[in-house]
Amino acid sequence: MEGNVVKESYNWVPSFGVNLGFTLDGLSLLFCLMITGIGFLVFAYTSVYLHHHKYLDRFYGYLSVFMAAMLGLVLSDNVISLFTFWELTSISSFFLIGFNNTQEASRKSALTALGITGLGGMFLLAGVIVLGNITGTFSIAEMLNMSPELIKGHEYYTVAVILLFGAAFTKSAQFPFHFWLPGAMKAPTPVSTYLHSATMVKAGIYLVMRFTPVLGGEEIWNTTLIVVGAVTMLYSAFHSLFRTDLKGVLAYSTISALGILMFLIGMGTTESFTAAAVFIIVHALYKATLFLTTGIIDHQTGTRDVTVLSGLRKVLMPVGIAAIIAAISSAGIPPTIGFLGKELTYEATMHAPIIATLLVVGIVITKILLLWAGFVAGIKPFQGSLPESLKDTKMPGPFMWVPPILLAVLSLVFGIMPFIIEGSLIKPVVSALGGESGEIHLALWHGFNTVFILSLVTIAVGTTLYFVLKPSAKLETAVGKLEAASPKSLMEKFNVGFTYLSSFWTRVFQNGYLRNYVFIIIFFLIGMVGYTMIGNTKFNIDPSILSNVSFYELVVFIIMCIAILFTVFTSSRLSAVVAMGVVGLTICLVFVFYSAPDLAMTQFSIDTLTVILFVLVLYRLPRYLKIQDHKMRIRDGILSLMFGGLIAVLALEVLSEPVNTEIGDFYAENSYIMAHGKNVVNVILVDFRGADTMIEISVLTIAAIGVFGLLKLRLKRTDRVQ
Amino acid sequence: MKTIILRTASNYLLPVLLLFSIFILLRGHYLPGGGFVGGLIAAIAFVFHSFANGLKNTKSLLRFHPGFLMPAGLALSFFSGLSPIIFAGDPFMTGLWYHGHVPVLGSVGSALFFDMGVYLVVVGVTLTIIFTISEAP
Amino acid sequence: MTLVEYCRIVILPVLAFSVILILIRFFRGPSIADRIVALDLLITTGIGIIGVYTITSGSSTLLDTGMILALIAFLSTVALSYYLERRSKKK
Amino acid sequence: MFFWNKINAQKVISIAGSIIAVILSSYVFYYVWENGTQKVNAGNWDAPFGIVFVADTLAVTLVLLTALSGLAVSIFSAGSVIKDRLRFGYFPIFHFLLLGLTGAFLTGDLFNLYVWFEIIIISSFVLITIGGEKAQLEGAVKYFTLNILASTIFLTAIAVLYGLTGSLNMADLAGKVAAVENRGLVEVAAILFLIGFGTKASIFPLYFWLPASYHTPPAAVSAIFGGLLTKVGVYALIRVFTLIFVGDVFLGEILMVLAILTIFSGGVGALVQNNVRKVFSYLIICHIGYMIAGLGMFTEIAITGVIFYLIHDIMVKTNLFMVSGIIFKIKSSNSMRALGGFYANYPKLSLLIFIPLFSLVGIPPLSGFWPKISLIGEGFATENYWTVAAIIFASFITLVIIAKLWAEVFWKDAKEIPEKPKFEYFSDISKARKTQFILPIVFLSLISLYIGFGAEHIQLLSSRIANELMNSQQYIDTVLNNS
Amino acid sequence: MEILLAILVGLLYASGIYMILRRSLVKLIIGIILLGNGANLLIFLLGRITKGLPPIIPENSKVFLEAYADPVPQALILTAIVISFGLQSFAIILVKRAHKVVRTDDLDEMNATDEDS
Amino acid sequence: MKNRFVSNILLTFVWVVLTGDFHFSNYLFGFVLSYVILMVITKGSRKAKYFTIVPKLIFFVLYFVKELVKANLEVAWEVMTPKLNMTPGIVKVPLTVQSDVGITLLANLITLTPGTLSLDVSNDKKVLYVHAMYIKDKEEFIAGIKNGFEKRILEILK
Amino acid sequence: MNIFIGVIITLGTLFVLLAAVGLIRMPDTYLRISVNTKAATLGVGLLLGGVAFYFYDLSTTSRTFVIVLFLFLTAPVGAHLIGRASYFIGNKLWDKSKMDDLQGKYQKNSHVLKSEIDDTPEDNVDHTKM
Ligand code: NA
Ligand code: NA
């Protein structure tokens, strides 16, 4: 399989360079096997787990969609289709987490998970687009074939890396985005098994691995991965100590494992790649097993509280065996593959490019804590005496207990015979990551060396810890107090703050007061137009345009000014209406003076009608309000005057520009000769621009229908609510 | 307003106003006027009549709902705009003209019918609005 | 001085002056009826101004506007009186 | 109008008319697609003297979309709008509105565009007030005032432009505006257009009328408003800024800043709403921001994204407001707090609704996703990082909001809402009427799916439109008969 | 005269906006009307004004013999005036209904639709 | 009476068309001519009304113009002189005319004359309330109206 | 001819001016309405007569004639209505007025106008009590 690549492609949106291109290489194969293999077992397991559930069909539907999406994700050669499947996994995960959607907690977790992974999705989208910009292609294969210097030297390289990390860290629950994952444990256990430990959360790992050959190797890439991975693994391994819910323990240990993976990839050596590849398998096997057994315990006993559970080996023996094997693998005790994984990890860490010693300390502590977590999840429930309340616990059907057994057995088989996976899985993965796959040789026994000593220390300390420190509700509560500073609550606080900001912003602008809306709009207009005018216009108002003013024109001007001011400032509505009549008359006179008899006539008729309308409505309207707010008036007055002044200056500016009467001249020349009319204005209205008039009378008609409806239509009480 | 003077005056002013409105409509193509102003004046005539005689009397004078004038006028305008497509194969609203001189009107063409449509719509709209308001509680 | 000049230099200013006087009444009121009367007279004067303006501009088509003013101006008065009456009835 | 009182006849005529409109506009679309930009001179007067109607690919695409939304909402109206409203001219005015939109897309004359805008706003005034309920009237007063204000500003802009050039024909203006020496005045005119159209398109800080009113009329009305009314403002902005005021850097920057603020305001607004229709209303604003951003970048690819988004948005927003209508019909409420249980009780319907909801989010490969590739890509290419951030923010917040809505309305247990006496619940109505509710949603959802999965076609279309817009000389030559 | 007309236009715009910014429904309508008048007058002014030469071809002539005012702005304003009339009548009725139903003339009290519900 | 008038108008048109001169003066001339012809050719009692009313109408108009000028000057004097010497008031004028047209005509003519203003007619049509600027003597004022406008109106409307 | 036109136009203008002065000077609404008719009748009539003579063609003559006719038809109706309305809204007569025969003849609610004062004083419009 090594080096063999299977390709299949279908052009989807070629304009974007988007195709459904699928490539099966070593990396894809590893993930494909996990997805289909564990998927198959989970499907079987679910048939019993949700046997009588009303919506089992729905559940299978979502699960199938998820599986398809996940496969698509790891097989895509095109980053856009990769993103598409990425989002589909988020959405199907949303539906699966929220499967018990009538429970508030379930909905909330689903929302949180979608929120975080959705945010990551946005990063991914931006990231792949930037990558597309850098490389000029959306095809991963083509990116891989490009000279890395071209990409890494590009100015957007860092942006692309940050964006991709954003996507990967959220999806793979890295600190500080990790908190959605424990929340996602609200989903039915098969979901937790499948999505939140084995597959979906590894999509981020996949992404980073996939792009390691393209973007990896730079300091920002490696350091970020190591630091984030290290913090994540330590932080969540530590946190798993304080859980009493089995799934909580598992969730935190999963996060920790994901951190380890990031950490390993970040080191960027063949050793670390090998370790990562092996650890993916290790983790998938033992964590899936533990989840499945936890599911069985939950399903059969009705509780997951680890402080209550004990002695179940007496009633659930096969399950117990699977769980214990998984726990041993998790602890890295031979002959499980877990041991191999741990050894490789220590080995790789010791050769880390930076601060190797510190990192070794970190990884050892993490492993110790994970040992504890694995024991608590896999051994503690089966150990000791069976409490009275759990005496009636029955074995579930074989579809439920066979899958974990199978997985547990695989942990053993691969541990004992690592060559099975060496050539078929590990080497292809490492070479896909750009490592030297030739150097790899997997074996359980590496000899007595530093790594082995570290392993021994890990096991010893971990086991001791297991016996000393029992999970307890007290501890959980105690650590709960620290929650205030955790990323989750910080995020929640941010959430609250942002919601507050949102409400505030919305209320400030959308405050319900029409006058404020108008004020803002006009203010905006003045600002924009004023800025432009001050910056650009010449203020060269041509004095020749100001033809002499006759006395009667001046009088018309004065009357109109006074009438307008009177309209504005009178305290009687009726006086305002009458004053508007005066305004109308003076406008009419202006039209007469300046050669527009048609306009004068129309203006006057319409003014008369407006007065009539007002009069018919006015006595049903209230008198003016007696609200005196001088500050407001002055503010509005200044704004209005600025607005008016702006328009006036604008008008004068335009008037000093040369005039072009081409169109009017055409009308005038052809009005009689071609359109048989001598009143050019009328000819324009009914002929040259008759379309305007046609529409205009439609406007009038609609207005009339509207008025009619507005006044005549009274909804019946029954209709009012419709 | 029940005053004898207004009522009587309205009886002689109504025909004068209506006649005047048609006059204004017809001469619009040559001199100031046209469908808009004509229609507005006709509408004002009826409104005036309703002030003097009450809405009921004016409505009975009209015999049909003024709202009917709107679709009628729209249709007239629209078809006079459509006529060139039908009769001459020209685009919408191309002027069609009867080439000959008709007393009073001058040339007769589709534009005149268009303007008449405008007139009817304006009358219909204005009266609908004002009558509706007058009737509303 | 020709007639046109006479109209422009003497007649129009006098009419304009009358308009200012009427406007003073409009402003002073005191009752709304006074304002309506002032508006009415303003329009009538406006017709006169339009008439004289046709002489100064030599364009008699502008008289058409005068016709409209003469015929429908009083409708505002009718409407406003109608309003005043109904309002007083309500009291 | 001659069938004033025969409601059933009105319904049939309305739907039949809408179907004919779809057929006609499809034909015109096909014709223009095959033969390029077409024009018709109204009254046989050549441009720039007469009014010219120009069918370029953008125009016919929008006309086709209008017809499609029109058909859907027409059917939806037949089922959902109550008799009394129908008796008072609902359908005629609804079709006037569609006519107005079509005319606005097709006209090549600026003043004629104003007149079409007026027919649109007066129809929308009537539709928004028809029924005259308290909320409707309160909303309408604001809607009315701010839209009139916008129209006045638009008219002011026309006055300035006419004063500068003496022309109203947009193609003619393209040349004449370019020749004006006083660039400051041209810029002022452009800003006036920006404010006039921007108010209609509901960009920041001009959008206030929208959240104040869109949730008040019947859902069918909101649907057509939500789908098309703001878009005609966007269309007008695209038209004048690609044809008349081309490539002004200052304007581009302004558009970009406004786009970011629009996205933010719409997004945070939607976040804090409880009423489903208000959520959608704010999301309209938020997503208008995308289009304005693309216009501000002013590259061919960005415009392609804008057009793609426009096409997607028209379909999906129309659909969502119809969805809000069906939700209201089922539970007599649009409050997210009060609603619940849809998934349990109406699983098939829920899955149907899932399509427009998540198309809106832009979950790939649903329709809202594709244009983002162009927009984000061009955002980087033109170094508008804040805009990219805003687009990402908007996508994210839309996701969060829709997921929340899904959780509240669909997942949450059905709450006991006291049954409104005499409310005609969805379960009470005949099968035929249920079909009238659901069929249009299915119809538009299918179109949305097509836009998503057949993105290649839409992308081809969008890029052709963008190409035509960026190379406007061809449009100008067609209109002015230059050869 | 242009300068006076420009001032008038400015004043009409200013007073229109000022009235719209008040709280009373009636003032709102008056403001809209004033604003509309301002816009019409602006078109008129920017279309350049000409004294005493209406664009009407003399009786016995087929074309203009002397200068004439530009007819285009006049036609535009006519259309705009009539449209505004339609809108204004609708506005007046809307205000009447709003007042009747909402029972206030105070625009500040009409903010229920903006509140979160 | 109506028939006569219509005939008169028709004949006028015939005249105008015959002469082919469409000027205003020709219309007027045609009208007078056909009026005279009609007057000559019409016989019987019906003749009286139409043919006596036209001269009366003319005289009436002249009378009105005279009153108009007189009152205008009167008011002009009042306005110009610095002191207001008016004795205004509202006078109840009993009506003899009974027809609506008559009452309206009377009232309007009174109003058109400066200085006087018809305020309203009582609902039973018995009295007209007139506001006047100069009421030296109430009876005299009433008589002035009754013997002036009202008498003439009665004659015309007979 | 021009001198004749000048004279009648001047006269017309003077009458309009006097009406305007009258409007200012007259002490009550009714008197103002009364002087108002000056401008509407002789003032504008003479002015337009001048216009008619100036242009001296059929179309101008008929138009001026029509304007004057319209004014004569409409002005008194308007005056009547506004005068009546002023009485309703309680505009008082000038205090030097000699008499008010209208006192107490209007009914407040029905606006019926009687020719004699009858026995419903509580319903009568009475300016002395307002
Ligand atoms: Na037109
Ligand atoms: Na008098």
Side-chain angles (χ1 to χ4, degrees), chain A residues 272-410:
Chain A
S272 74
F273 291 155
T274 315
V278 173
F279 191 64
I280 286 175
I281 298 170
V282 172
H283 180 252
L285 291 176
Y286 84 72
K287 195 52 68 62
T289 310
L290 288 178
F291 265 112
L292 291 178
T293 57
T294 302
I296 293 171
I297 294 169
D298 187 15
H299 192 256
Q300 303 305 115
T301 66
T303 179
R304 296 193 308 248
D305 187 343
V306 76
T307 57
V308 175
L309 294 165
S310 65
L312 287 173
R313 67 181 185 283
K314 290 168 185 157
V315 282
L316 299 170
M317 194 54 197
V319 181
I321 290 170
I324 289 161
I325 296 173
I328 289 169
S329 183
S330 147
I333 298 172
T336 58
I337 188 172
F339 174 67
L340 191 59
K342 191 176 60 185
E343 297 274 291
L344 287 167
T345 306
Y346 286 170
E347 181 99 39
T349 313
M350 282 166 59
H351 302 134
I354 47 164
I355 47 169
T357 325
L358 199 62
L359 292 180
V360 169
V361 173
I363 189 77
V364 169
I365 294 174
T366 306
K367 287 284 180 186
I368 291 169
L369 295 172
L370 284 183
L371 182 147
W372 182 89
F375 279 14
V376 165
I379 297 176
K380 164 91 183 29
F382 300 94
Q383 202 188 7
S385 57
L386 189 68
E388 203 57 33
S389 57
L390 300 177
K391 284 257 162 59
D392 299 335
T393 312
K394 301 256 171 347
M395 269 298 282
F399 276 122
M400 222 162 158
W401 59 262
V402 172
I405 295 255
L406 280 176
L407 291 171
V409 167
L410 279 180

Side-chain angles (χ1 to χ4, degrees), chain F residues 110-117, chain G residues 34 37:
Chain F
I110 289 172
T111 308
L112 277 174
T113 325
T116 50
L117 163 67
Chain G
S34 272
T37 16

Side-chain angles (χ1 to χ4, degrees), chain A residues 212-262:
Chain A
T212 294
V214 182
L215 301 169
E218 293 294 299
E219 201 183 318
I220 178 173
W221 177 271
N222 291 346
T223 313
T224 312
L225 282 177
I226 291 174
V227 170
V228 171
V231 171
T232 306
M233 68 190 188
L234 273 168
Y235 178 89
S236 46
F238 179 71
H239 265 268
S240 65
L241 290 181
F242 306 102
R243 307 294 131 189
T244 54
D245 177 2
L246 273 180
K247 279 177 89 173
V249 175
L250 291 175
Y252 275 99
S253 69
T254 303
I255 298 169
S256 182
L258 294 167
I260 294 172
L261 283 170
M262 286 293 176

Side-chain angles (χ1 to χ4, degrees), chain A residues 684-686 689-693 696, chain E residues 75 79:
Chain A
I684 294 175
L685 287 173
V686 298
R689 296 183 64 88
D692 282 350
T693 311
E696 175 192 348
Chain E
T79 308

Side-chain angles (χ1 to χ4, degrees), chain A residues 12-16 62 101-102 115 130 156 505 510 532 536 662-663 667 687 689 692 718 720 722, chain D residues 45 49 109 112 133 166 176 187 191 208 265 329 343 365 380 385 396 411 413 422-424 453 456 459:
Chain A
W12 185 11
V13 192
S15 326
F16 279 128
Y62 302 147
N101 53 47
T102 50
V130 174
Y156 289 156
W505 181 274
Q510 199 71 33
T532 317
N536 296 303
E662 186 191 342
I663 313 264
Y667 291 157
D687 201 333
R689 296 183 64 88
D692 282 350
T718 48
R720 199 155 279 176
Q722 303 283 339
Chain D
W45 302 106
F49 306 114
D109 185 280
N112 195 244
E133 293 183 50
K176 286 185 174 159
E187 221 158 60
I191 286 171
F208 311 110
S265 302
K329 193 74 184 161
Y343 197 34
F380 277 110
Y385 305 114
F396 175 62
W411 273 355
D413 255 338
K422 296 185 184 166
F423 184 86
E424 194 188 28
F453 287 91
E456 176 63 14
Q459 178 65 12

